[in-house]
Amino acid sequence: MSDYDPAEEGAHTDFAGRMAYGDYLRLDRILGAQKPLTDAHDEMLFVIQHQVSELWMRLAIHEIAAARRSLAQDRAEPALKMLARVSRIFEQLNNAWDVLRTMTPSEYTRFRSQLGQSSGFQSLQYRQIEYMLGNRNAAMLRPHAHVAESSAKLEEELATPSLYDEALRFADRHGVPMPPRSSPATSARPTASTRASWKPGAWSTNPPTPIGGSTSWPRSWWTSRTTSAAGASTTSPPWSASSASSAAPAAPGA
């Protein structure tokens, strides 16, 4: 056993009345937020995977919002730096599914029934990111209509120029010809697969792909959404029951 004493090198070891690591990060709240509904061993993996994804999306929203403001103020350099960070965040989101892929379909079914109709398709932050980048399908408000605060937040986003709109305006101000701007909210109809994912039991017919499965969500998907910011598809999140992702079943509702 080592006899190393950090206090001998001047390190603080008494944090009574001082800001400590756990205090700053509020780890008591974060580490106390995992509440599996069953005794299935793999449910903890499932919960943490999706909670971590939501944290990364929280940061992505923070960066995208700041990049949008910077472009509106003709400050391209900080906007590009922020968007480069968003691209790395999306890479993290994609790569994280390698861990969830270690859970087999049979292991997932041990706790799936306890999740009810909840699905990653209902992620408010995912929808915010779509709307912020320019994929503005107003029909996608429906899964959030039951929560007034969430619905209001998305309606506010639809009334705000997207990152894509601001990029077009920036280019226009600097004499670069660009295509017409998008409208605040499109009326595009959802695809058949999207509509199907709203129906009860969507998860039960879409178990996670077994380890070594042949399908996978394109690694470039997230990155392309940040760089083009103009996608008009109604594709579900990579972790949604209706997506083609090999990485995961859907997540509990946010």
Side-chain angles (χ1 to χ4, degrees), residues 110-124:
R110 289 195 59 194
F111 60 87
R112 168 64 191 91
S113 62
Q114 297 299 313
L115 306 182
Q117 300 305 313
S118 60
S119 168
F121 180 75
Q122 301 159 355
S123 170
L124 171 64

Side-chain angles (χ1 to χ4, degrees), residues 57-81:
M57 286 192 285
R58 173 70 180 86
L59 180 57
I61 290 169
H62 175 71
E63 298 293 340
I64 293 169
R68 177 166 58 181
R69 289 193 300 270
S70 293
L71 282 179
Q73 298 165 1
D74 275 341
R75 299 169 61 240
E77 288 189 12
L80 291 174
K81 179 178 180 180

Side-chain angles (χ1 to χ4, degrees), residues 3 37 40 54 58-59 83 94 134 148 159 171 190 193 196 198 205 213 228 239:
D3 293 327
L37 300 178
E54 291 292 333
R58 173 70 180 86
L59 180 57
L83 293 178
N94 270 326
S193 62
W198 294 347
T205 57
S228 69
W239 52 90

Side-chain angles (χ1 to χ4, degrees), residues 181-238:
R181 304 183 183 110
S182 63
S183 60
T186 68
S187 58
R189 297 180 60 187
T191 63
S193 62
T194 298
R195 291 194 299 272
S197 69
W198 294 347
K199 299 176 182 178
W203 272 7
S204 62
T205 57
N206 292 275
T209 302
I211 297 174
S214 60
T215 59
S216 62
W217 195 267
R219 297 275 176 184
S220 61
W221 187 86
W222 285 99
T223 305
S224 66
R225 298 292 280 180
T226 2
T227 53
S228 69
S233 71
T234 53
T235 311
S236 300

Side-chain angles (χ1 to χ4, degrees), residues 6-249:
E8 293 181 358
E9 296 186 6
H12 290 292
T13 57
D14 182 3
F15 289 95
R18 297 173 180 265
M19 173 69 76
Y21 175 80
D23 299 329
Y24 177 70
L25 297 177
R26 299 189 180 185
L27 293 181
D28 55 337
R29 298 186 185 183
I30 295 175
L31 300 180
Q34 293 72 51
K35 307 290 185 183
L37 300 178
T38 72
D39 61 358
H41 174 78
D42 295 282
E43 189 179 358
M44 181 64 80
L45 163 64
F46 188 78
V47 170
I48 290 176
Q49 171 68 56
H50 291 86
Q51 288 180 341
V52 169
S53 294
E54 291 292 333
L55 285 173
W56 277 124
M57 286 192 285
R58 173 70 180 86
L59 180 57
I61 290 169
H62 175 71
E63 298 293 340
I64 293 169
R68 177 166 58 181
R69 289 193 300 270
S70 293
L71 282 179
Q73 298 165 1
D74 275 341
R75 299 169 61 240
E77 288 189 12
L80 291 174
K81 179 178 180 180
M82 293 162 189
L83 293 178
R85 181 175 293 169
V86 172
S87 179
R88 298 298 181 271
I89 291 169
F90 289 168
E91 287 178 7
Q92 288 288 335
L93 281 165
N94 270 326
N95 293 336
W97 297 101
D98 288 340
V99 181
L100 193 59
R101 193 177 291 121
T102 63
M103 181 175 64
T104 65
S106 62
E107 289 167 340
Y108 174 52
T109 57
R110 289 195 59 194
F111 60 87
R112 168 64 191 91
S113 62
Q114 297 299 313
L115 306 182
Q117 300 305 313
S118 60
S119 168
F121 180 75
Q122 301 159 355
S123 170
L124 171 64
Q125 292 198 122
Y126 179 86
R127 196 68 59 224
Q128 278 184 271
I129 291 173
E130 276 196 323
Y131 282 3
M132 293 177 81
L133 295 183
N135 183 12
R136 308 198 134 189
N137 183 354
M140 302 309 293
L141 289 168
R142 295 173 193 165
H144 308 280
H146 64 293
V147 180
E149 183 179 356
S150 298
S151 184
K153 182 176 290 188
L154 292 175
E155 291 278 8
E156 181 181 0
E157 179 56 46
L158 283 177
T160 304
S162 69
L163 174 67
Y164 181 60
D165 290 324
E166 290 296 356
L168 294 182
R169 292 175 178 180
F170 176 87
D172 187 58
R173 288 194 300 272
H174 291 270
V176 180
M178 298 297 284
R181 304 183 183 110
S182 63
S183 60
T186 68
S187 58
R189 297 180 60 187
T191 63
S193 62
T194 298
R195 291 194 299 272
S197 69
W198 294 347
K199 299 176 182 178
W203 272 7
S204 62
T205 57
N206 292 275
T209 302
I211 297 174
S214 60
T215 59
S216 62
W217 195 267
R219 297 275 176 184
S220 61
W221 187 86
W222 285 99
T223 305
S224 66
R225 298 292 280 180
T226 2
T227 53
S228 69
S233 71
T234 53
T235 311
S236 300
W239 52 90
S240 170
S242 61
S243 77
S245 173
S246 67

